[in-house]
Amino acid sequence: MTLTATLLELSRHHRAALSARDRADFEDELDRLRMLRVPEDGLDEGDYLPDFALEDAAGRTWTSDELLDRGPLVLALFRGDWCPFCELTMAALETARPTIEALGATAVGVMPDRPPVIARTAARRQIGYLLLSDPANAFARTCGLAYDLSPGHIRIHQERGRDLPAAHGDRAWRLPVPAVFVVERTARVAFAFSDADPSRWPDPEELLASLRELGDAHALLNR
């Protein structure tokens, strides 16, 4: 089963398990975000990746310039370890990581949680790629891919014991839009995907195909 099909199946089970009130609030949130066009107006193909300086699980700061000096990036925005859809997309990126690295690129995940939570997530999920902390969703906001939660969506998280502002070092209830990008060494975005619905994410082969195209173009330029 492809990642796309697995996510859609999880979405069906997830929605069926929700109460009528929770399901209505969840669907209202998706409708609101689509109306606001948050994904459509965010970082897209042809744009340039905003500069960042973000800490990893050990508190070491990584800059976008430092990472791009190594080669292209496959950079993903994840909502958090609590998100069942992120669990699958994190695992898919880890499965693709050896091929990503063989193509000369670096896989990077960005989450709004603090470094200690990032460390636990990496250990629990057995993630070998770089996970970076984005407090208060500052980088996601720079990308135009963060949104404030509606009262109904805040209620859903509170009833499940999640205090997102405290976890993110933020004053607002805010989350990133799930997204993934292939970024050239020049910081130009060669492939972009973002969707307000966390059950939608591209199959890793789409990312790998974009990286292969970059490699082919680089080889032609250097003949």
Side-chain angles (χ1 to χ4, degrees), residues 7 25 40 45 68 101 175 183 218-220:
L7 288 168
D25 282 344
E40 291 83 356
E45 187 174 326
L68 288 168
E101 293 174 351
L175 282 173
V183 186
H218 181 75
L220 285 173

Side-chain angles (χ1 to χ4, degrees), residues 78-80 110-114 132-137 167-169 175-176:
F78 298 119
R79 301 198 302 169
V110 177
M111 297 167 55
D113 297 284
R114 298 173 186 270
L132 300 178
S133 172
D134 181 27
N137 286 283
H168 302 166
L175 282 173

Side-chain angles (χ1 to χ4, degrees), residues 7 10-11 14 26 79 83-90 198-199:
L7 288 168
L10 174 62
S11 179
H14 175 71
F26 179 76
R79 301 198 302 169
C83 171
F85 303 103
C86 293
E87 178 181 357
L88 290 175
T89 54
M90 284 180 187
S199 69

